[in-house]
Amino acid sequence: MTEGPAMPGGPPPPAGPARPARPSRRDVLRGGTGLLSGAAAATLLAGCGSGGGDGVGADGRVTVELWHGQTDTGRAAIQKLVDEFNRTHPKIRVDPGGGVLSDAMLQKVTAALASGSYPDIAYIFGSDLASIARSPKVADLTATVAHGPTPWRQFWTPAREAVTVNKRVRAAPALIDSLAVVCNKKLFARAGVPLPEAGWTWDEFTATAKKLTSHADGTFGTGWPGVGDEDTVWRLWPMIWDLGGEVIAADGHGIGFEDTGVRALETVARLAADKSVYIDPKPGSEQMYQVFLSGRMGMVVTGPWQLPDIAQAKVDYHVVPLPSYSGKAITISGPDTWTVFDNGSARVAAARTFVEWLIQPAQDVRWDIQAGSLPLSRSTQALGAWRDRTASTEGLSVFTQALETARVRPAHPAYPQISEALGQAITAVLLGRSTPAKALRGCAHEANAALLIPR
């Protein structure tokens, strides 16, 4: 028997056979904010022990342990790069066999530091780097990137900022993305609504979402994750920044969005009041994306990692930059990192050599294409392979161009607590359980308290 259409905020009907799992890039981008307990944070500060010897074999070759955190296509891509590096660097052997999936990497590395047996390189979410970098076992890469083959300034600003903590480079950029809006052309045409163009506003977004919504047909104007996790939160930061707010106030003693956050939440409240937003009740946003892929959502805010699935679902789509309040282009980027740990001078030197090689354009472009990312640097963007990829992928250039004005979440150890508090506020507004002003007051109370804790 065929199920009826889902109502706003409810679970979608079955979307047919499950597709093969893709790299969890949306998990990477939304990830981080893994809260550390007091005991776990203390182990980072202690950082005692070594990760298992100097790693130099009898033949003089240094073994480097890599925890890459990738699955499926991403794992295959990093394995090919590792194999090439090992062939071309006979004095170093990179072993990519250890670690866990990227979503659990913070907890895994924290436990490894406590036990004294930790990797040489780990894939760490950018929003977790500040917490991990409190350990004295995290290597400083400032000199490494300053003298690398690709000039540091060639890397996009979000990539540089994501790996910089207290003005020191504490990791190498691993992967970068941005957010834009993907539109279903068929639903726009059916509703008689013109496709949006760059420079549109959030008022236009909410009005468009309302026009695209049809409860009779089970279609939604847009979607938003509704579980309060980082995927819920990080979509709001461009709105707050556009209104002049900051995640953390300039003095560092409180949040910087007590007023602007209310206005951004008012936009969310309008979507909820219009019942034009599909509220995904499960972590990972998989249901929200399935609603879009099944042709029942007009607009979805997402990143370039979603484009292969959209093409596979044969959705005729259009990509447009995020709306704004000010008319200025702004988005968010979620860079992640290759973080190097100190297991002795020989292993640190070998690990630095590997990550320096990995982020060069010739390797980066292959990783970007296979893992569904954007180029880390303008040097990579200029390569013929990336230009070909852009020409063959509808809308990809919009995501890349957005990096020019993209911002990143601050590399601050209190960010996870701020995110958790804001996630609760957004969810309360989406579900109609609180007003924007009341929800933001609760968020500010919790987040400000977290910022007062000595770090």
Side-chain angles (χ1 to χ4, degrees):
M1 182 176 69
T2 303
E3 296 187 18
M7 293 304 292
R19 300 182 318 281
R22 288 190 175 276
S24 187
R25 179 56 194 140
R26 56 176 163 271
D27 293 334
V28 171
L29 243 169
R30 69 180 169 83
T33 72
L35 300 181
L36 294 178
S37 67
T43 65
L44 287 178
L45 292 173
C48 298
S50 171
D54 60 11
V56 182
D59 59 357
R61 188 168 65 167
V62 181
T63 297
V64 170
E65 186 177 1
L66 168 67
W67 291 2
H68 58 71
Q70 307 300 306
T71 61
D72 303 312
T73 308
R75 179 173 56 198
I78 196 68
Q79 183 65 60
K80 288 180 181 178
L81 289 166
V82 166
D83 290 345
E84 179 178 329
F85 178 86
N86 288 340
R87 286 195 304 270
T88 56
H89 295 74
K91 291 298 183 180
I92 302 173
R93 177 182 177 272
V94 176
D95 177 5
V100 293
L101 297 183
S102 51
D103 278 352
M105 191 66 75
L106 177 64
Q107 290 77 11
K108 176 75 172 182
V109 169
T110 300
L113 287 167
S115 70
S117 182
Y118 43 87
D120 298 289
I121 307 167
Y123 188 97
I124 301 293
F125 291 136
S127 52
D128 287 334
L129 181 61
S131 296
I132 287 290
R134 297 167 68 191
S135 170
K137 289 301 179 180
V138 173
D140 190 318
L141 300 187
T142 306
T144 302
V145 299
H147 302 293
T150 299
W152 181 237
R153 287 289 170 186
Q154 282 290 305
F155 290 91
W156 298 105
T157 299
R160 300 196 308 266
E161 290 183 350
V163 299
T164 303
V165 181
N166 295 328
K167 299 182 179 181
R168 305 295 297 177
V169 179
R170 305 308 306 275
L175 191 150
I176 192 169
D177 274 304
S178 64
L179 281 183
V181 180
V182 182
C183 305
N184 182 318
K185 289 184 179 180
K186 181 178 179 180
L187 292 187
F188 271 79
R190 190 169 74 186
V193 179
L195 289 168
E197 299 178 355
W200 62 322
T201 68
W202 282 109
D203 283 342
E204 291 172 329
F205 180 91
T206 56
T208 300
K210 186 175 182 179
K211 292 175 183 177
L212 292 170
T213 299
S214 171
H215 298 165
D217 296 336
T219 57
F220 305 85
T222 190
W224 202 296
V227 296
D229 60 3
E230 182 64 10
D231 204 11
T232 304
V233 170
W234 78 300
R235 299 160 190 272
L236 200 75
W237 291 130
M239 302 164 72
I240 288 172
W241 290 328
D242 185 37
L243 290 166
E246 296 291 341
V247 178
I248 300 172
D251 62 10
H253 296 154
I255 61 172
F257 58 94
E258 290 198 38
D259 295 326
T260 54
V262 172
R263 185 173 173 190
L265 285 176
E266 287 172 347
T267 298
V268 176
R270 284 198 297 275
L271 292 170
D274 291 340
K275 293 182 170 53
S276 62
V277 58
Y278 173 81
I279 304 169
D280 195 330
K282 294 185 178 180
S285 302
E286 189 62 31
Q287 288 194 358
M288 181 182 76
Y289 289 121
Q290 284 299 317
V291 174
F292 183 83
L293 294 174
S294 67
R296 295 172 44 245
M297 182 182 293
M299 303 180 292
V300 65
V301 176
T302 188
W305 69 85
Q306 198 66 35
L307 296 182
D309 281 352
I310 294 171
Q312 181 179 330
K314 301 187 184 305
V315 176
D316 188 11
Y317 69 93
H318 167 72
V319 181
V320 65
L322 288 183
S324 73
Y325 298 101
S326 66
K328 300 176 183 176
I330 190 167
T331 189
I332 188 169
S333 180
D336 296 314
T337 78
W338 297 116
T339 302
V340 174
F341 297 88
D342 187 352
N343 281 305
S345 59
R347 288 171 68 173
V348 169
R352 284 173 170 159
T353 298
F354 175 68
V355 298
E356 183 181 81
W357 177 86
L358 193 60
I359 63 177
Q360 297 314 307
Q363 288 71 248
D364 178 41
V365 72
R366 292 158 56 194
W367 168 247
D368 299 335
I369 290 172
Q370 294 178 58
S373 179
L374 298 176
L376 289 174
S377 67
R378 290 176 173 83
S379 299
T380 301
Q381 183 189 22
L383 293 179
W386 183 257
R387 292 199 301 268
D388 291 344
R389 178 70 168 184
T390 299
S392 63
T393 307
E394 175 69 27
L396 184 58
S397 62
V398 176
F399 290 102
T400 307
Q401 186 176 357
L403 292 174
E404 294 282 0
T405 55
R407 294 187 58 179
V408 296
R409 296 159 287 187
H412 192 287
Y415 178 80
Q417 289 89 344
I418 296 172
S419 174
E420 183 180 39
L422 184 56
Q424 293 172 355
I426 297 170
T427 301
V429 171
L430 278 170
L431 299 178
R433 295 173 180 169
S434 180
T435 65
K438 182 179 178 181
L440 210 287
R441 282 197 300 271
C443 167
H445 177 76
E446 295 183 23
N448 288 338
L451 285 165
L452 292 177
I453 299 173
R455 303 289 171 176

